[in-house]
Amino acid sequence: MREEVEKYDFEKVIEEFERITKDAGNVQKETLRRILEENASVEYLQDLGLNGRTDPESFKACVPLVTYKDLEPYINRLVDDVSPILTRKPITAVSLSSGTSQGNRKFIPWNDELFKNIVQLYRTSFAYRNRDFPIQDGKALNFVFRSNASQKKGGVMLGTATANVFGNPGYKNLMQALKAPSVSPHEIIFSPDFHQSLYCHLLCGLLFREEVQSISATFAHNILYAFRTFEQDWEELVNDIKDGVLSSRITVPSIRTAMSKLLKPNPELANLIHKKCKGLSNWYGLFPELFPNVKYVQGIMTGAMLPYVTKLRHYAGEVPLLTSEYGASEGGIASNVNPKVPPEFATYCILPQIAYFEFIPLAQLDANQVELKPVGLTDVKIGEEYEILFTNPAGLYRYRLGDVVKVMGFHNSTPEIKFMRRSNLLLTINIDKNTENDLQLSVENASKFLAEEKIEMIDYTSYIDLSKEPGHYVIFWEINGETSDEVLSECCNCLDKSFIDPGYVTSRKVQGIDALELRVVEKGTFQKILESQVERGVPVSQFKTPRCVGPTNTSMLQVLLDNVVKSYVSTAYN
């Protein structure tokens, strides 16, 4: 892998991508043929009567659309059975999804082919990114954390998608080839303690501040969390640099050993950082002050991550924010080939060679159509919304990802899509159907009252309370600062009124749905949620605050309920 990645010519990567996307239809047929030919003899496809056929028509006639629940019995057998159940080559790892919404984690088959797809995704995104924002010989402040929850069961390693990527022998070389070697030693990335890793990532960033040319993490939330932590710990970090002695809070021997090679007394650097931090107004422009040569800040900043962009811009000042790749635990999907576009308007270009894609028109789902009729990659229409179907080299065939995307245009003949929401994330009690987007818009409308008071929205989520009839929506807010009950009551009414779905409005008017409730939680509550998820094995690099907490996720709901400090009931429909 090392020799391969060191030979990347990024202009050739772009040329190749342009060539492939001009013939996306045929590339898709070849991708499907390759996957089906490789796995023709597996139990799952044999049972469906495919009989070695590899053409799209036979595939669609024989293989049904499935959800995770449909494949779960086959996947559960993979950890104990080495026979070819879903793939001809043995599955050597299983990726654990985060399970942050419902509290139930999925087991997703992983193999080396998926890592190769991730390599294609990363290098395509980087090629276009580096063309617009060239990086010379520098380093990256990458907030990368490998899960410490990996364990062996049978012949299969149980971990996470991020752990499977970061733990692959080719990952370090890939980052070198992408001109993004981390400022942090591997001992920090692979530490069993997230908090100690984060502290040392920040410390390494400061030690190599002149060399840092990019700041990145999987999700925008991870970067924001890191620098909220910096606001609390910066003086201790400065003292470490001044004295050349690592904080006593770092107890993992491997980290202390690695940091001892980097940390030497440097009062001059410590004084410089101290002066810069003291000179900032409410931490505005923190990134360029700390890292004078940083070119951009990068992570997934669309969909559920969009609410964090405002605060990141505050830290970034004039430094551009770039959204990165679009993927899932099941594998890579699309690259951002227009990195100059702000995250709010960013699109992702599907790579037709890494999986076989189909799209269920949302109109069919909204109409509760019994027989769904997906369309192919090149047959989607601009302006229409679809749920993605996914066939990959690791044993998922016509798998419903649960992601709803909107087609914004085409890059040659492959679609450019915008992630809209998870299809199963609905606030619904009877005839109301409010999506993640609807919730986000409602929160944005209501939080304008906070902005007028110079109060910051830190995070939010929601819950359907059915403990009494009729049920009602509960919105949890964490805010940074104090404001009056009058302002928060106004926010509560605005939340309620901002849900404009006809089913919701009608239900509220006839009291089929009770008044919306706004519950303000104690500062630090969402950090407690993150920490509780990390304790149960969810890596911080994979964690996403769920915008709707499902009834089965009792542990997360309990954290929220235990930390409520104020509650307001809407009078919008009185």
Side-chain angles (χ1 to χ4, degrees), residues 104-168:
N104 302 317
R105 305 184 73 179
K106 297 176 183 177
F107 287 53
I108 309 296
W110 174 274
N111 61 16
D112 287 341
E113 289 300 311
L114 288 191
F115 180 76
K116 291 177 184 177
N117 288 350
I118 294 297
V119 170
Q120 289 182 306
L121 202 67
Y122 281 10
R123 70 181 183 185
T124 301
S125 292
F126 182 85
Y128 285 90
R129 188 162 65 243
N130 203 54
R131 186 171 67 176
D132 289 344
F133 302 94
I135 284 183
Q136 306 304 321
D137 294 328
K139 294 189 176 183
L141 175 51
N142 293 327
F143 292 101
V144 175
F145 308 90
R146 189 187 180 191
S147 168
N148 62 348
S150 295
Q151 55 184 301
K152 197 85 170 178
K153 184 175 180 183
V156 173
M157 186 66 73
L158 305 182
T160 63
T162 49
N164 288 326
V165 172
F166 302 151
N168 190 288

Side-chain angles (χ1 to χ4, degrees), residues 15-54:
E15 288 174 12
E16 176 68 5
F17 184 71
E18 294 294 325
R19 183 189 66 78
I20 287 173
T21 55
K22 286 175 181 174
D23 193 25
N26 285 325
V27 171
Q28 277 282 275
K29 290 178 183 178
E30 173 58 24
T31 301
L32 180 63
R33 184 202 63 76
R34 188 175 68 245
I35 293 170
L36 295 180
E37 193 172 85
E38 168 67 27
N39 299 298
S41 60
V42 303
E43 176 187 320
Y44 181 75
L45 295 179
Q46 285 290 317
D47 287 350
L48 292 171
L50 197 56
N51 296 324
R53 289 173 289 178
T54 62

Side-chain angles (χ1 to χ4, degrees), residues 58-104:
S58 299
F59 175 65
K60 293 172 185 178
C62 295
V63 179
L65 279 56
V66 295
T67 63
Y68 176 78
K69 188 176 180 180
D70 298 317
L71 291 183
E72 192 171 17
Y74 296 92
I75 294 172
N76 287 341
R77 286 171 51 201
L78 288 175
V79 297
D80 299 313
D81 193 340
V82 295
S83 62
I85 300 169
L86 292 172
T87 60
R88 184 178 65 83
K89 294 177 182 176
I91 295 294
T92 56
V94 169
S95 295
L96 304 174
S97 69
S98 63
T100 47
S101 295
Q102 300 298 329
N104 302 317

Side-chain angles (χ1 to χ4, degrees), residues 266-309:
N266 194 336
E268 185 179 352
L269 176 59
N271 290 337
L272 175 65
I273 295 168
H274 188 278
K275 183 178 179 181
K276 287 186 174 296
C277 289
K278 282 292 188 181
L280 292 171
S281 174
N282 194 28
W283 300 102
Y284 177 81
L286 174 64
F287 295 164
E289 283 297 312
L290 291 183
F291 313 108
N293 295 308
V294 66
K295 301 287 184 66
Y296 55 78
V297 180
Q298 176 213 340
I300 296 171
M301 298 188 186
T302 53
M305 294 298 117
L306 203 54
Y308 306 117
V309 167

Side-chain angles (χ1 to χ4, degrees), residues 4-22 116-131 174 177-179 325 335-337 349-354 411-412:
E4 178 187 342
V5 296
E6 287 184 347
K7 291 180 181 177
Y8 286 164
D9 179 330
F10 291 108
E11 282 305 316
K12 286 189 176 178
V13 170
I14 291 174
E15 288 174 12
E16 176 68 5
F17 184 71
E18 294 294 325
R19 183 189 66 78
I20 287 173
T21 55
K22 286 175 181 174
K116 291 177 184 177
N117 288 350
I118 294 297
V119 170
Q120 289 182 306
L121 202 67
Y122 281 10
R123 70 181 183 185
T124 301
S125 292
F126 182 85
Y128 285 90
R129 188 162 65 243
N130 203 54
R131 186 171 67 176
L174 173 64
L178 298 185
K179 304 179 184 179
E325 298 79 20
S335 288
N336 178 9
V337 300
C349 190
I350 293 178
L351 274 64
Q353 76 275 32
I354 64 174
H411 184 95
N412 296 321

